[in-house]
């Protein structure tokens, strides 16, 4: 593996646990451990899995009221009204309504805590500094690691370290002492399961990870299982299912644009690409992200072209796998809006074969968040 890859604070622990390491977003990351992706996927669905997501970008924007008003000029979500302890999912948009990145924002007492994608974090920091750096401070947090403890037993394990985490509900966060260290914990994640994301000082990350892995419910999991889990949950991966050419509405993320930011709302518009996104909200989106289920047991991967029964091109697959939980081939794709109805049949080109697939509602596996 290339020597110039960055390493997370847990790198040596991954090697000790026998992880297969791969390059991802400029980092050496574990794709799986000796038990394999399928076992790690099931571990998360049935018990609890620990993921290292320290490659992601963590930032804080001090002076929460000023920062919220500033950040709202770059995203279509309601940040100004976000209550202390509440978390929100949103997107940085560009002038044409496309998505530069998706991100999580949590309002804390004195600041906004922002988590962005690893591959985009340098660009995101530059974007923030360029556009709102004169209105609020942008403080990257490279000295913090990020752990995701996910699965129905995640709360059982984490409560042994601090019973207070059980008071959190989905998309809320707070400060908790875990293993003797002040951590910021949100009840969120990207697997469709209940779980937590734990921002911890980098120097304490290995000790915390070891303490969590010592619980009988918890085993480590890598990027492979993280991908199959988020795909079953119908969640987008930036650079695959969403990018600079897809609007939040086309991506099926209109739910993340609150009423106050929509036409007629008190703070409508005034973010990049608002005119295009508002047209899409009104029904003018040319395509839509949909779920697909394969009618034959052949996985359909990213990039496969989709046609109708007459051979007319309809769109393309953005993510696909043979899903461990639902035990059938699933995919996410963009198709022309008039073919996006559940039950509609499309055909994927896979190595010269036409494979039938059916448009279906997402998620493929039910979400089990603690609301």
């Amino acid at each position: 593996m290339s020597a110039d890859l960055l390493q997370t604070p847990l790198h040596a622990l991954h090697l000790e646990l026998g992880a297969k390491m791969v390059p991802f977003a400029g980092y050496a990351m574990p794709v799986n451990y000796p038990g394999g992706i399928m076992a790690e996927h099931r571990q998360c669905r049935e018990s609890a899995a620990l993921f290292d997501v320290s490659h992601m970008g963590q930032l804080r924007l001090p002076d929460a009221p000023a920062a919220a008003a500033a950040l709202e000029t770059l995203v279509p979500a309601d940040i100004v009204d976000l209550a202390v302890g509440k978390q929100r999912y949103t997107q940085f948009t560009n002038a044409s309504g496309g998505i530069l990145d998706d991100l999580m924002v949590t309002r804390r007492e004195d600041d906004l805590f922002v988590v962005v994608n690893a591959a985009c974090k340098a660009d995101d920091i530059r974007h923030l500094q360029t556009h709102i750096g004169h209105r609020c401070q942008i403080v990257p947090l490279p000295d913090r690691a990020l752990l995701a403890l996910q699965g129905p037993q995640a709360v059982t394990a984490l409560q042994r370290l601090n019973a207070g985490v059980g008071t959190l509900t989905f998309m809320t966060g707070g400060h908790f002492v875990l293993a003797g260290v002040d951590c910021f914990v949100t009840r969120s994640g990207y697997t469709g399961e209940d779980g937590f994301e734990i921002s911890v000082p980098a120097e304490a990350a290995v000790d915390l990870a070891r303490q969590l892995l010592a619980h009988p419910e918890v085993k480590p999991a890598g990027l492979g299982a993280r991908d199959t889990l988020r795909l079953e949950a119908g969640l987008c991966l930036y650079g695959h299912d969403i990018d600079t050419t897809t609007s939040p509405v086309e991506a099926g993320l209109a739910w993340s644009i609150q009423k106050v930011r929509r036409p007629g709302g008190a703070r409508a518009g005034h973010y990049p690409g608002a005119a295009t996104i508002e047209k899409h909200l009104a029904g003018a989106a040319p395509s839509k992200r949909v779920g697909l289920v394969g009618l034959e047991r052949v996985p359909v991967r990213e990039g496969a072209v989709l046609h109708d029964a007459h051979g007319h091109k309809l769109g393309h697959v953005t993510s696909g796998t043979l899903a461990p939980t639902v035990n059938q081939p699933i995919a996410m794709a963009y198709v022309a809006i008039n073919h996006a109805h559940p039950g509609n049949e499309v055909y994927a080109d896979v190595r010269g074969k036409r494979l039938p697939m059916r448009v279906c509602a997402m998620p493929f596996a039910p979400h089990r968040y603690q609301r």
Side-chain angles (χ1 to χ4, degrees):
M1 193 175 296
S2 170
D4 57 5
L5 287 174
L6 298 167
Q7 297 179 357
T8 75
L10 299 183
H11 185 81
L13 179 60
H14 297 314
L15 297 179
E16 181 188 316
L17 295 170
K20 179 186 175 187
M21 306 297 284
V22 298
F24 183 80
Y27 283 78
M29 294 295 291
V31 70
N32 62 268
Y33 298 85
I37 292 170
M38 291 283 278
E40 292 167 28
H41 181 106
R42 288 198 190 95
Q43 176 72 22
C44 187
R45 289 275 183 255
E46 294 165 9
S47 193
L50 183 67
F51 300 85
D52 178 12
V53 288
S54 304
H55 59 312
M56 297 183 77
Q58 300 181 68
L59 321 166
R60 59 182 290 267
L61 280 53
D63 185 6
L71 184 58
E72 215 174 78
T73 66
L74 299 180
V75 301
D78 174 8
I79 307 297
V80 167
D81 299 327
L82 194 58
V84 173
K86 294 289 169 95
Q87 185 179 47
R88 189 154 278 166
Y89 168 82
T90 188
Q91 310 83 32
F92 289 129
T93 51
N94 63 19
S96 57
I99 300 171
L100 296 171
D101 196 11
D102 59 341
L103 59 146
M104 298 292 260
V105 183
T106 311
R107 171 76 191 267
R108 304 195 291 198
E109 201 69 54
D110 303 315
D111 62 12
L112 297 179
F113 175 63
V114 177
V115 178
V116 299
N117 282 301
C120 305
K121 66 182 172 186
D123 287 341
D124 289 347
I125 292 166
R126 214 166 17 249
H127 182 65
L128 286 162
Q129 285 170 337
T130 300
H131 294 285
I132 63 171
H134 61 292
R135 296 180 60 179
C136 65
Q137 272 184 285
I138 316 298
V139 185
L141 302 171
D143 55 342
R144 294 189 78 83
L146 194 64
L147 305 180
L149 183 66
Q150 299 282 296
Q153 296 297 312
V155 66
T156 305
L158 199 56
Q159 277 187 301
R160 291 198 194 103
L161 299 187
N162 188 322
V165 296
T167 62
L168 293 175
T169 53
F170 182 57
M171 298 295 274
T172 67
H175 290 276
F176 296 90
V177 174
L178 302 174
V181 178
D182 182 47
C183 298
F184 186 72
V185 181
T186 57
R187 198 159 193 171
S188 60
Y190 224 61
T191 61
E193 296 295 332
D194 183 25
F196 302 86
E197 293 199 331
I198 306 162
S199 175
V200 53
E203 67 274 10
V206 170
D207 183 53
L208 178 58
R210 286 190 191 280
Q211 291 207 37
L212 290 169
L213 290 168
H215 296 293
E217 301 87 356
V218 183
K219 288 187 175 154
L223 291 172
R226 188 170 155 81
D227 194 48
T228 55
L229 289 158
R230 68 92 197 162
L231 182 45
E232 285 187 343
L235 300 172
C236 297
L237 179 62
Y238 189 80
H240 300 260
D241 313 293
I242 48 176
D243 59 29
T244 55
T245 68
T246 54
S247 82
V249 181
E250 289 175 293
L253 303 174
W255 57 266
S256 68
I257 306 174
Q258 287 73 33
K259 197 173 174 182
V260 72
R261 302 302 311 278
R262 295 180 179 222
R267 297 192 311 283
H270 300 290
Y271 60 87
T276 299
I277 290 169
E278 287 175 357
K279 281 181 193 161
H280 287 186
L281 284 168
S287 64
K288 186 181 177 187
R289 178 175 65 97
V290 297
L292 298 174
V293 174
L295 304 183
E296 296 178 13
R297 287 193 66 78
V298 180
V300 177
R301 306 290 186 192
E302 179 179 356
V305 176
L306 299 170
H307 293 96
D308 66 12
H310 307 291
H312 301 127
K313 186 179 174 184
L314 297 178
H316 66 283
V317 170
T318 56
S319 291
T321 192
L322 189 57
T325 306
V326 298
N327 195 28
Q328 58 192 146
I330 62 169
M332 292 198 293
Y334 282 89
V335 297
I337 200 79
N338 58 330
H339 286 270
H341 309 294
N344 196 50
E345 207 160 290
V346 299
Y347 297 87
D349 287 353
V350 178
R351 294 186 294 279
K353 283 188 176 173
R354 278 173 28 119
L355 295 175
M357 304 191 84
R358 187 168 289 132
V359 177
C360 67
M362 292 187 285
F364 302 98
H367 292 163
R368 296 198 288 186
Y369 306 131
Q370 187 65 37
R371 295 195 185 276

